[in-house]
Amino acid sequence: MKSGDAVWLRHTDGRYVRDAAGLPVTFEITEVDTCAASTWYRLTTDHPTAHKIFSGWYTRHRITPGPGHSAMGTGVTCEGRKRWSRGDFQRGDFAKYRGTWYEVLRVHNTSVTIPYLHLHISGGVVRAGDVRPGWTWTAPYAGLVGRMSEEEMRQHQEPPVP
């Protein structure tokens, strides 16, 4: 299977992902990532609800061309890094992107919106209040290397008590 191929997706119990009419939802492979252990396929679909819920990375065991079958990926890249997705983030969390922690302003299917700080030097933490209103950037999940909740970030930044 390759980018551009139409495939069907199965749940872990073997049932097809279906639309309201009971027909299998057709997904498209948009990206392929191959390593020695396995091949991963990034899937998207035009079906709005199925796209929000099921778009993401899967191994060949959960997808097949046409009416077929296929087990959800572990969420780890070939290099052992976490594959981030929409389900990992919510507004107010912090995402590490290009060496800096950014507050997550919005969560999308393929990226998060973060505050944009012009001429910012890598490192540290950037919050929404640190930038001009409306200055934002979208960081793709593939470029993210870490996640912290708002509470974890607060604890991380508190000075140690002597």
Side-chain angles (χ1 to χ4, degrees):
M1 292 182 276
K2 62 187 181 320
S3 288
D5 285 352
V7 295
W8 287 3
L9 176 66
R10 278 195 181 209
H11 295 278
T12 53
D13 65 0
R15 294 175 300 119
Y16 294 117
V17 173
R18 297 182 182 272
D19 63 13
L23 300 172
V25 174
T26 303
F27 288 80
E28 178 182 348
I29 297 173
T30 58
E31 192 174 344
V32 179
D33 187 9
T34 304
C35 65
S38 63
T39 301
W40 292 81
Y41 302 91
R42 177 173 266 171
L43 305 181
T44 61
T45 182
D46 292 333
H47 189 283
T49 304
H51 182 77
K52 286 180 183 176
I53 297 170
F54 297 105
S55 290
W57 289 92
Y58 296 87
T59 60
R60 65 176 176 80
H61 303 289
R62 290 264 311 265
I63 59 174
T64 59
H69 42 291
S70 300
M72 184 177 227
T74 61
V76 177
T77 67
C78 298
E79 299 82 32
R81 282 193 358 205
K82 167 90 171 116
R83 278 194 202 278
W84 300 104
S85 67
R86 181 183 184 111
D88 295 313
F89 291 91
Q90 63 184 12
R91 181 184 168 97
D93 285 347
F94 287 81
K96 191 167 191 177
Y97 180 65
R98 297 183 177 171
T100 300
W101 288 98
Y102 292 92
E103 182 178 358
V104 174
L105 305 177
R106 286 184 295 281
V107 180
H108 311 284
N109 288 329
T110 59
S111 64
V112 292
T113 299
I114 57 176
Y116 175 69
L117 192 55
H118 184 64
L119 298 177
H120 176 67
I121 297 174
S122 185
V125 178
V126 178
R127 298 176 183 275
D130 298 339
V131 303
R132 287 183 156 186
W135 282 29
T136 61
W137 190 264
T138 54
Y141 291 121
L144 302 181
V145 295
R147 179 208 166 272
M148 273 196 219
S149 68
E150 187 174 2
E151 180 59 30
E152 290 170 323
M153 180 58 73
R154 188 175 303 115
Q155 292 174 2
H156 177 73
Q157 290 190 305
E158 286 179 359
V161 177

